[in-house]
Amino acid sequence: MFFSPSTCRRSRTLGVSALIILTASGLAACSNPGATTCDEYAAQSRSERNKTQEALLEAHDLEPNAMGNALGISQAIHSYCGMLGIQDKEAAKQNGSSPLENAVNWSAKRW
């Protein structure tokens, strides 16, 4: 099969356009991690949940690698959403349509 230069250029342009759209939609989802609902969070894999937790901590200028923050946010979200947090893609048993932002008292000095 023979491809003309214009066909290759068009394919490349479409590929780059698709990549830009996918990247932009992925960034939009991460732009406000607190807007993620309990149902959306529960449907994520454990690695995706960890990324959501880290992004939420960073959005509140908290160190995501600090053990206390990591444990505190995990416990707060799982309690708020009614989850055990040990399974991939488990169901939220409460606050399904509520945003994760509501899971934490961000003005508190301690978890």
Side-chain angles (χ1 to χ4, degrees):
M1 179 177 267
F2 177 74
F3 291 103
S4 69
S6 63
T7 304
C8 290
R9 221 174 301 126
R10 205 173 344 177
S11 296
R12 252 189 316 220
T13 303
L14 290 173
V16 170
S17 296
L19 181 62
I20 290 169
I21 290 169
L22 289 172
T23 302
S25 64
L27 291 175
C30 295
S31 64
N32 185 2
T36 303
T37 66
C38 283
D39 284 337
E40 293 167 339
Y41 177 80
Q44 294 176 345
S45 67
R46 287 193 349 212
S47 65
E48 291 171 321
R49 288 181 197 161
N50 287 340
K51 290 176 186 175
T52 299
Q53 291 174 14
E54 289 172 5
L56 194 53
L57 288 168
E58 288 172 349
H60 288 276
D61 295 323
L62 295 170
E63 175 57 48
N65 295 323
M67 185 63 76
N69 289 342
L71 290 174
I73 191 130
S74 179
Q75 183 179 18
I77 290 173
H78 294 156
S79 176
Y80 182 74
C81 296
M83 299 170 55
L84 294 176
I86 56 174
Q87 299 173 331
D88 272 355
K89 302 181 182 189
E90 64 182 290
K93 294 179 180 64
Q94 60 192 32
N95 299 312
S97 61
S98 296
L100 297 182
E101 187 71 24
N102 298 343
V104 176
N105 177 0
W106 295 105
S107 63
K109 300 290 183 202
R110 297 187 163 194
W111 290 104

